[in-house]
Amino acid sequence: MTPKQIGLIGVTWDKVLPIAETAAELFYGKLFELNPELKPLFKGDLKEQGKKLMTMLDAVVKSLDNLEAIIPAAQESGVRHVGYGVKDEDYDTVAEALLWTLGQGLGDDFTDEVKEAWTAAYVILSGVMKDAAKEVAA
Ligand code: HEM
């Protein structure tokens, strides 16, 4: 990721944070619209889950200039996600829902450049999670 991309993510995340609760609702709505089969995987309260997701994303955004620091946590999370029944291809569905949600929250600020920056960050993070998941399966 380039320093510019890291900057763009920081600026746009600051705009999403005040509407984090709404963003989480939009996200799950879109996710289950894209693939209703994912709904039963979420056993807990979606509001709580949404908070965890936003907290995790917040930690990721704040670590973008030092991604090595969160690799162990992302690996552990990837392994836990296997236990939740999450499959490799589901990461693409989550990516689509997440980018769509950012687009809703940011409106005109969701430029192609911003979208590319978020995509780059998601590819890195989800890659670490998926690789760790494959290690468990192997
Ligand atoms: C970069 C991608 C992702 C991030 C940052 C993320 C983040 C989180 C976090 C922070 C939790 C809380 C529990 C824990 O840490 O183990 C969690 C749980 C969970 N995630 Fe993810 N996740 C990601 C991808 C996915 C994908 C692709 C799916 C597929 C549908 C998914 C489904 C779930 C489920 C089902 C739970 C457990 C919910 C429950 O117990 O009710 N996550 N996720």
Side-chain angles (χ1 to χ4, degrees):
M1 295 193 68
T2 66
K4 187 171 182 197
Q5 285 182 318
I6 292 173
L8 280 174
I9 292 181
V11 170
T12 49
W13 180 245
D14 282 344
K15 290 184 185 160
V16 176
L17 265 184
I19 53 153
E21 206 169 304
T22 313
E25 267 171 40
L26 285 172
F27 169 79
Y28 288 113
K30 188 65 181 178
L31 184 65
F32 301 147
E33 181 192 315
L34 289 170
N35 187 356
E37 286 174 20
L38 294 178
K39 204 165 184 179
L41 301 186
F42 293 86
K43 317 262 183 236
D45 176 31
L46 271 191
K47 216 168 176 176
E48 281 305 309
Q49 177 63 28
K51 273 187 206 153
K52 281 186 202 165
L53 178 71
M54 291 297 160
T55 307
M56 168 89 169
L57 284 175
D58 193 48
V60 171
V61 169
K62 293 190 166 69
S63 317
L64 284 177
D65 46 7
N66 183 20
L67 270 180
E68 297 84 63
I70 56 158
I71 285 179
Q75 286 172 327
E76 285 164 21
S77 181
V79 172
R80 279 198 300 273
H81 278 73
V82 179
Y84 303 145
V86 174
K87 304 226 163 19
D88 200 280
E89 63 265 27
D90 299 333
Y91 281 88
D92 289 344
T93 317
V94 162
E96 198 178 332
L98 183 64
L99 292 170
W100 177 85
T101 304
L102 289 167
Q104 295 296 306
L106 293 169
D108 288 346
D109 290 331
F110 193 61
T111 60
D112 285 349
E113 224 181 355
V114 168
K115 187 176 176 183
E116 275 166 32
W118 275 97
T119 304
Y122 184 84
V123 166
I124 294 171
L125 181 64
S126 61
V128 172
M129 291 174 69
K130 285 192 283 188
D131 283 349
K134 277 183 207 126
E135 290 288 320
V136 191

